[in-house]
Structure formats: structure tokens, C-alpha cells
Amino acid sequence: MKFKLPFNKKQSAPIKEAPKENLVRVAHETDHFIQSIKNATNNPADLIIKTLPPNIALIYIDKLVDDQSLNNDIIANLQNNLYETPESLKVALSISEVNISSLLKETIDTMVNGSVVIHVDGYPQAIVANIASRESRALSAPENESQVIGTQVGFNESLSTNISLIRRYIVNPDLCNEKLKIGSRTNTSVSLLYMHGIANDQMVNTLRQRITDLTIDELLDSAVLAEMIDDNSLSVFPQMLLTERPDRFCDAILDGKVGVIVDGSSMAIVCPQSFTEFFQSQEDQNLRWQIATFVRLLRLTAFFLSVYLTPFYVAALTFHYEVIPQAFLVPLSESRALVPFPPIFEALLLEFIIELLREAGARLPTKIGQTIGIVGGIVIGTAAVQAGITSNILLIIIALSALASFTSPSYMMGNVIRLIRFPIIILAGFWGFYGIMLAFCFILIHLLRQSSLGAPYLSPFYPPRLKEMRDSIIRMPIPLTAKRPALTRPEDNNKFEPEPVKPEKS
């Protein structure tokens, strides 16, 4: 994929002249017009050309148009009546979206998007009737963000279907939908969605400018777009949320965030996003606040266990035996008596095997992948302990760390947890607890410097906002969450009346 970075804001934007091919007009003669379309599209095998008496030609691409609309609404009308001009033909067609175009490129662009091109011999104009029919899979439950309580429907690859799902949740004319085109070769449709009167205009303009300034050949998935418009594309931490749940998307939009949906992708982009929000699930809103708080604390605890438990083991056995309880030293020494490798090599070997099993299970078919993950883990783990390659205690720690990495509701953040464990283990093997602290400080400084659409990544902890800290880790009762998060800098801060008026006693 080729792309160019946007020009420097300090420099003036170069004045671009319209390419000459964009100004080519539609030919008068039908034969001439058909030949020009064949030349522009390289005469594909699925290009259908039909001629109707006395002087009308229909041109479209097979399987991109609705056959029923083509036969009933277009061909039937043209065969039963005679029309002399494109204007009278446009009025006669019983289709909602019919336009007249005088430019050849504009006509071809609409044709490859599912329109039928109608040309009347002798007129330098073409009628384009949009009767597009796009194949898409049926709506199903989200696969990566499953939940027990709540809606069981997720986005699919159709942009129009995803927009209709969102409008079922937000029945409000203030929901803004801006359609953009990205990719000089793919012409991918992208929708920018936000709530007028809630979303911050500066954030909306910033995201719109980042998308429109992209000069790329292709765009096939929303994850690619999210990486290209991130505040820091070199960071391993995601700054924008990818979600396949329309309820979570709509909840973020109503909080003042901005969303992006890419045609052909089942994942929607939500920004700005803070670090702690990657550990929050939409199901937290459907559970009682006590249970949801417990689950959130469990996820954050699992994050630290997954990242630091194995490095702590390596550092303790390599440099800091004094931190190990005396009652635990005997079984630990017996467990490592037959292991010929140092703790750092032992830990990296097991982590590598776990990642191999996880990747193999994800890439294989579902039934085979589950079998490989379970049987492979048991067989390899048991054989490794019996062969003296690793200790059973480290095997338990590695399995616990791998299990804890799956608790993150965001798949992107789960991948980050998998990756950053390896450098921390290496630092712990070379410098012990000092290496772990060095890694912790480096990660903390890196997170403090990050931003998401200009908003601080560690909000509400940096800069500190005491009132919002309680609702980031603790899921507060809904009556106490009347304010929208300050991360989005919303135009309207209140979701509802903070203090309901109590009825007077009679």
C-alpha cells in the first residue's frame, strides 16, 4: 500500500489542477460513448451492454445492480414508452436516485458503485440510476466482544447496514453522518458520525482533516485507517478503540466521542479513548454497579499479573532470593533441581511456546484450533516438566499470565499485553527488580506522553480529575453519572438532571 503523509501545516497547500481525464465529456453518439467506457474500464468480462429501440443503451456491471429493479423499474418503462430527451427519461424512471451526468469519469465512478448508465443517442449526457445491490452476510452476534446481558447483534461489512443499526439506537436528527471517500484506487466509502450539540467541534474537524488529508491507493479495513490517523502511529498502545458492537459505539457517540465506519469492515473506530477505557466493557453498564466494579478491578489486576508476574519470578530467582518466603524455598529449589537453564531462558522458552500455541489455535479451523490449544498445552507442559526443561512452578505462572491476558475486552490491548511481557522479562533477567522498575517507568512515561485525538491518554489520572477517577476504575451507580466525561470536552456536559426534583409531601 502506497500513501503520502499530509503536508506540513506551516507550508501552504499546493494548488492542484484537475486532471484532464476528469474533464472528458460524454460523447453524443452511443457507439462512441460505449467505446469510451470500454477503454476506461479495460473492457471487463462482467460489463453488460444492452440496446433498446430506438436509440437507448443500458450499461452496467453484472452482479452490482439489483436485477429486479433493473427489469421492473428501468427496462419495463423504457420498452413501454418512448422518450426523446434525457430529461424526460429521468422523470419517467420510478427510482429514487437518478441523476444526469455530462462528465465521463463521473459516470464511470457511479457505474462501478452499482448504477445503471443510460445513454440516448445524440445527446452529450448520461442518466445514472442507482440500483446497487451489495452482497453482505446476515447480522450475527459479535465474535470478539461477546457478553451475556445485553444486545446480541454486531456490525457486518455493509456500511448501509451498520448505519441503519446505529440509527435504530439513536433516533435523533442531531446524529450527523458525513460520507467521505478514501483511496485513489479503491474509492472506499467512510462515514464520520457524531452528535451535533454534544461532540466537540475541534475534535470533529481534526478527525475530518486527518481523514481527508490521506493520499493512499487503497483502504480495505478500519484497523488500517485507525493506525494512519492515530496521534502516534509508532506506539504499541492503541489510541483509538475498534469495536464491533453497535451499542458500545452509540454509547460512545452519546458521550461526545466521534466514530468512523469503513465500508467493507465489521469494526468501527471510536475516539478519543483513554487507557482505562480499554478495560471497560459495555456489559458493565448492564450489571449492578457492585458486580461491574469487581469485574473492572479483576481486569486491571489481571493486566498487572500478566505483565509483571513472570518477570518477578525471573528477577527473584536470579538476583533476589531474599524476597522468597523461607517455607517456599524448599519446594522451589526441588522444582528447579533438574532444570539446566537459567530462569530468563526458561521463562522466554515457555512464553514462546505459549504464543505458538495461541497463534496456531487462532489460525486453524475452530474445532481443530480448540483441540490443538488444549491438548498441545497439556502434552507439551507435562513433557517439558518431566524432561527437566522447565519447573512446574514456572509452568503455573506462565499459564496464569497467559490466562490473565485474555481478560481485556479489547483485542488490540490484549495484543499489547502479550508483546510487552518479553522486554520486561529480559530486563528482569539482566538487572532484577531494577530492570522491572526501569520498564515500569519507561511505560509510564510513554503513556503520559500519549494522546488520543488531542486528549490525554491517561485521563482522568493525568491531568488529575478527582470526580472522574471514581467512574474509571469503579463503575459508579447510574444516578451518579450525570456528567459526560471531560475527555471528550463535550458541548453539553449533562446526560440528565444531576439532582432529580423530589415530589413535595402533601
Side-chain angles (χ1 to χ4, degrees):
M1 179 178 62
K2 300 179 181 179
F3 64 91
K4 296 180 181 179
L5 294 176
F7 59 87
N8 193 338
K9 295 181 180 179
K10 296 182 180 179
Q11 301 175 355
S12 59
I15 301 176
K16 297 181 180 180
E17 296 182 358
K20 294 182 179 179
E21 59 269 17
N22 293 351
L23 303 178
V24 177
R25 303 184 69 85
V26 174
H28 291 72
E29 298 81 5
T30 299
D31 294 338
H32 230 175
F33 176 69
I34 293 175
Q35 188 60 41
S36 62
I37 286 188
K38 288 182 177 180
N39 295 336
T41 58
N42 298 307
N43 195 16
D46 54 353
L47 182 66
I48 307 298
I49 302 174
K50 293 183 178 181
T51 57
L52 300 177
N55 56 352
I56 298 176
L58 273 68
I59 308 171
Y60 61 93
I61 296 179
D62 193 19
K63 304 303 180 183
L64 285 187
V65 300
D66 185 10
D67 293 335
Q68 184 176 358
S69 297
L70 176 65
N71 295 324
N72 298 338
D73 300 332
I74 295 181
I75 295 180
N77 287 336
L78 296 179
Q79 288 178 339
N80 296 333
N81 300 280
L82 296 178
Y83 304 100
E84 297 180 354
T85 64
E87 288 77 9
S88 60
L89 191 149
K90 175 186 175 182
V91 174
L93 293 178
S94 57
I95 298 175
S96 59
E97 190 174 346
V98 181
N99 298 308
I100 296 179
S101 175
S102 300
L103 298 178
L104 180 63
K105 186 178 186 306
E106 181 182 357
T107 303
I108 295 175
D109 288 343
T110 55
M111 183 184 69
V112 297
N113 276 295
S115 295
V116 174
V117 178
I118 306 172
H119 187 268
V120 181
D121 192 23
Y123 291 90
Q125 295 171 325
I127 298 95
V128 288
N130 186 6
I131 54 172
S133 174
R134 296 292 180 90
E135 297 293 335
S136 62
R137 62 184 175 92
L139 295 176
S140 59
E143 296 183 2
N144 299 319
E145 296 179 83
S146 59
Q147 63 183 27
V148 179
I149 302 177
T151 58
Q152 303 296 326
V153 63
F155 290 129
N156 65 6
E157 289 76 18
S158 173
L159 178 62
S160 58
T161 303
N162 295 338
I163 297 296
S164 65
L165 283 176
I166 295 171
R167 290 200 176 275
R168 289 180 189 177
Y169 284 95
I170 306 177
V171 188
N172 194 309
D174 288 336
L175 177 61
C176 300
N177 178 17
E178 299 182 13
K179 193 172 184 180
L180 308 172
K181 290 284 187 178
I182 302 179
S184 59
R185 298 189 183 275
T186 58
N187 286 322
T188 306
S189 298
V190 175
S191 286
L192 180 69
L193 295 104
Y194 57 92
M195 288 296 296
H196 177 71
I198 297 179
N200 184 274
D201 292 337
Q202 183 179 358
M203 287 188 173
V204 175
N205 295 334
T206 300
L207 187 59
R208 183 191 300 114
Q209 182 181 4
R210 290 183 184 181
I211 295 176
T212 55
D213 284 351
L214 291 175
T215 306
I216 59 177
D217 285 349
E218 62 183 36
L219 178 65
L220 301 179
D221 195 79
S222 56
V224 179
L225 178 62
E227 183 176 350
M228 297 181 69
I229 61 178
D230 270 344
D231 290 30
N232 182 10
S233 299
L234 300 179
S235 175
V236 68
F237 290 91
Q239 295 119 54
M240 296 184 180
L241 176 68
L242 293 175
T243 179
E244 57 181 345
R245 299 198 61 88
D247 53 348
R248 186 172 190 180
F249 183 88
C250 294
D251 186 60
I253 294 295
L254 293 172
D255 277 341
K257 297 185 179 182
V258 189
V260 179
I261 299 180
V262 178
D263 190 18
S265 176
S266 61
M267 304 293 287
I269 304 173
V270 175
C271 58
Q273 193 78 2
S274 66
F275 176 75
T276 55
E277 286 178 330
F278 284 98
F279 298 93
Q280 299 175 6
S281 172
Q282 186 61 30
E283 193 175 21
D284 296 346
Q285 305 297 326
N286 303 327
L287 299 174
R288 303 295 295 180
W289 71 272
Q290 300 91 337
I291 301 174
T293 299
F294 170 75
V295 175
R296 283 189 183 181
L297 294 175
L298 183 64
R299 295 192 195 112
L300 290 173
T301 304
F303 167 74
F304 287 100
L305 283 178
S306 179
V307 173
Y308 292 107
L309 187 59
T310 305
F312 182 88
Y313 171 87
V314 173
L317 288 185
T318 307
F319 297 101
H320 310 284
Y321 276 101
E322 64 276 3
V323 302
I324 303 175
Q326 187 174 4
F328 196 63
L329 281 174
V330 175
L332 185 61
S333 59
E334 292 178 353
S335 175
R336 284 194 46 81
L338 300 177
V339 179
F341 306 116
I344 180 175
F345 181 82
E346 180 188 4
L348 290 175
L349 178 62
L350 279 183
E351 288 283 1
F352 181 72
I353 292 175
I354 289 292
E355 293 301 324
L356 280 180
L357 290 173
R358 183 175 353 203
E359 192 66 18
R363 299 291 169 249
L364 289 172
T366 305
K367 296 181 179 179
I368 301 177
Q370 293 175 353
T371 305
I372 289 295
I374 298 173
V375 176
I378 295 175
V379 172
I380 294 177
T382 304
V385 173
Q386 292 179 353
I389 298 177
T390 182
S391 63
N392 50 14
I393 295 179
L394 179 60
L395 188 64
I396 296 173
I397 292 176
I398 294 292
L400 183 61
S401 299
L403 186 64
S405 65
F406 287 107
T407 59
S408 173
S410 172
Y411 178 76
M412 305 293 288
M413 186 58 70
N415 289 334
V416 173
I417 297 173
R418 293 168 56 185
L419 177 63
I420 63 177
R421 280 207 305 262
F422 287 94
I424 299 177
I425 291 174
I426 294 174
L427 290 175
F430 282 103
W431 294 312
F433 289 161
Y434 298 103
I436 297 177
M437 185 55 62
L438 178 64
F440 176 79
C441 293
F442 177 81
I443 294 174
L444 181 60
I445 294 173
H446 177 73
L447 293 178
L448 288 172
R449 296 182 60 188
Q450 296 308 305
S451 61
S452 176
L453 204 62
Y457 193 56
L458 284 186
S459 176
F461 300 97
Y462 176 81
R465 297 187 179 97
L466 298 179
K467 291 184 178 180
E468 293 191 12
M469 286 182 186
R470 58 184 184 178
D471 196 41
S472 58
I473 297 179
I474 300 174
R475 208 283 268 172
M476 298 299 293
I478 293 179
L480 300 181
T481 58
K483 297 286 186 179
R484 292 187 171 90
L487 173 74
T488 60
R489 290 175 288 170
E491 302 291 339
D492 184 5
N493 291 321
N494 294 330
K495 294 182 181 179
F496 51 87
E497 188 66 28
E499 296 181 358
V501 178
K502 297 181 179 179
E504 298 180 0
K505 296 182 180 179
S506 57

